[in-house]
Amino acid sequence: MVFLITPKLLFLHKNSKLEGLVVKSTGSWYYVRDANKGIWACKIKGKFRIKGIKTTNPVAVGDRVEFSPIQGGEREGLITELHERKNYIIRKATKLSRESHIIASNIDQAIIMATLAYPETYTLFIDRFLVTAEAYRIPAIIIFNKIDLYDEQLMRKLNELIQIYHDVGYECFSISVTREENLESVKNLLKDKYSVILGNSGVGKSTLINQLKPEANLKIARISNYHKAGKHCTTFAEMIDLPFGGAIIDTPGIKGFGLVDMDKEEVYHYFPEIFNASLSCKFHNCTHTHEPGCHVKELVEKGDISQNRYNNYLRIVEDNEGKYR
Ligand SMILES: Nc1nc2c(ncn2[C@@H]2O[C@H](COP(=O)(O)OP(=O)(O)OP(=O)(O)O)[C@@H](O)[C@H]2O)c(=O)[nH]1
Ligand SMILES: [Mg+2]
Ligand SMILES: [Zn+2]
């Protein structure tokens, strides 16, 4: 008996490797959930890089990894291998930053939470996010929150925006987390899927998740000390299992959504309505900025393509001169 068991134990002790899912990342620690739902605090060993792209975080929430437990440590480990990602969503913090940040990986859909009440989300931010989601082929959804705070004028603006984005092909929701309006439809959206939610600080991402799962107990900004700009309450990305099936990754609020690794000539591919129109432009290399016979500009003038979306397209192209760095 002893003879039979000892060699096996020794083997496990020396070479044991476990597989797991990264459920939280603080930048220096990665929390990995094993098959038995045990959580391991892990560091990284070695280099995991996306070819040609410098990232601040080589491992992201949603990654599947292999890790070896550290002897003597209490559920501590070293991540030794990163499984191939099905997809990921990535951004640059600012125009000038040289490094990119992987927001989440292996997701079924990416949700941008926006609001027209404080802090107002700019459509340029929404469109930059949508361009990235298109480029990385991740279904994108827009949730407008805090509709309880909208007056008549903002409600009109909301409906206009929803019309525009809906016509382009994006699913949109308008909700109030605090008044529990339209949360059922959000539950249906999230059910049985892996989602990531992102947006400016203070739009209500964590409040929504707490509402869907009170045990999540995420830190949220208190109304009393909450100001217009958002407080950056959530500081780490974290995956939360949902009681009705599926999981959502809460992320820290971000100011900008810098595009990664994109030439200005390709930006229009990721505005679906501009891409469709471009097929009828006079010149095959039309950039839809100044050329004669540009079908995109014709449709903008006719009002069939949103002027605002087109303006944002131009701004993204201008920002991307050369390449977005
Ligand atoms: N009026 C109103 N306030 C809301 C609603 N949803 C959230 N809030 C408030 O908005 C504030 C910010 O909410 P958070 O959930 O912390 O925002 P967040 O998007 O997670 O912010 P970061 O973690 O900083 O990115 C809190 O004071 C919430 O109570 C809503 O539907 N209506
Ligand atoms: Mg938060
Ligand atoms: Zn054109």
Side-chain angles (χ1 to χ4, degrees):
M1 207 51 183
V2 171
F3 177 73
L4 276 175
I5 286 172
T6 316
K8 197 179 168 203
L9 277 180
L10 268 176
F11 174 76
L12 269 178
H13 184 79
K14 273 197 175 149
N15 295 319
S16 76
K17 267 211 176 151
L18 295 171
E19 204 206 302
L21 174 68
V22 179
V23 292
K24 182 173 177 173
S25 123
T26 67
S28 48
W29 288 98
Y30 299 88
Y31 293 87
V32 180
R33 189 165 69 197
D34 67 21
N36 301 317
K37 304 225 159 174
I39 301 285
W40 297 73
C42 293
K43 297 253 182 197
I44 297 181
K45 193 181 168 213
K47 283 186 181 159
F48 312 96
R49 293 225 176 280
I50 306 176
K51 225 173 144 195
I53 298 177
K54 245 186 163 179
T55 56
T56 48
N57 59 333
V59 171
V61 173
D63 278 339
R64 292 220 145 261
V65 296
E66 277 175 37
F67 63 98
S68 347
I70 295 172
Q71 300 307 322
E74 225 174 85
R75 279 193 191 274
E76 285 182 8
L78 274 185
I79 295 177
T80 54
E81 226 171 287
L82 176 62
H83 289 198
E84 202 183 328
R85 296 180 174 117
K86 172 176 99 172
N87 61 24
Y88 55 88
I89 188 147
I90 188 168
R91 70 155 193 138
K92 278 185 193 176
T94 68
K95 200 151 91 173
L96 296 172
S97 38
R98 313 181 90 225
E99 290 192 319
S100 310
H101 184 81
I102 306 171
I103 299 173
S105 70
N106 299 322
I107 47 178
D108 297 316
Q109 54 191 9
I111 298 164
I112 184 164
M113 184 176 262
T115 178
L116 304 184
Y118 302 124
E120 181 188 351
T121 306
Y122 298 116
T123 57
L124 183 59
F125 179 78
I126 297 177
D127 288 333
R128 284 179 164 285
F129 158 77
L130 293 174
V131 163
T132 296
E134 291 290 340
Y136 287 77
R137 294 193 180 80
I138 295 169
I141 292 112
I142 311 171
I143 295 183
F144 292 95
N145 187 27
K146 306 198 187 185
I147 57 169
D148 55 291
L149 298 178
Y150 300 9
D151 59 14
E152 225 171 273
Q153 195 195 341
L154 282 185
M155 274 320 255
R156 257 201 310 277
K157 190 171 167 196
L158 170 73
N159 290 327
E160 276 168 27
L161 282 177
I162 288 182
Q163 188 69 52
I164 289 169
Y165 286 108
H166 179 266
D167 286 350
V168 177
Y170 298 108
E171 214 178 334
C172 299
F173 295 82
S174 49
I175 68 170
S176 163
V177 180
T178 46
R179 290 229 184 121
E180 299 184 33
E181 267 179 75
N182 292 343
L183 297 188
E184 275 309 308
S185 50
V186 173
K187 271 190 195 172
N188 286 334
L189 170 75
L190 300 175
K191 190 172 162 11
D192 298 331
K193 297 228 169 83
Y194 279 94
S195 311
V196 60
I197 188 162
L198 54 89
N200 296 142
S201 178
V203 293
K205 302 178 290 296
S206 305
T207 312
L208 170 67
I209 298 171
N210 278 345
Q211 181 66 38
L212 298 172
K213 182 183 184 179
E215 309 94 274
N217 205 9
L218 299 172
K219 209 171 121 196
I220 59 170
R222 294 173 66 116
I223 304 257
S224 53
N225 62 10
Y226 175 71
H227 299 290
K228 290 179 184 179
K231 283 273 176 194
H232 291 282
C233 232
T234 304
T235 41
F236 308 123
E238 179 174 1
M239 185 186 292
I240 292 109
D241 283 328
L242 294 167
F244 44 85
I248 185 163
I249 300 171
D250 190 18
T251 63
I254 51 180
K255 280 210 186 77
F257 203 100
L259 307 182
V260 175
D261 204 28
M262 198 177 290
D263 291 322
K264 63 174 182 163
E265 294 80 11
E266 75 181 294
V267 171
Y268 78 86
H269 290 92
Y270 309 123
F271 280 78
E273 75 279 41
I274 296 184
F275 179 73
N276 283 339
S278 76
L279 302 173
S280 310
C281 290
K282 184 170 174 196
F283 300 111
H284 80 278
N285 58 350
C286 187
T287 63
H288 328 298
T289 53
H290 61 278
E291 295 86 345
C294 173
H295 192 52
V296 173
K297 284 198 300 176
E298 280 164 24
L299 291 190
V300 173
E301 271 153 36
K302 268 174 68 186
D304 288 352
I305 286 180
S306 143
Q307 180 73 51
N308 188 253
R309 286 267 294 169
Y310 180 68
N311 292 348
N312 287 343
Y313 162 71
L314 294 180
R315 287 181 68 178
I316 292 172
V317 169
E318 281 159 21
D319 279 354
N320 270 33
E321 265 325 318
K323 240 190 193 182
Y324 196 90
R325 284 192 210 286

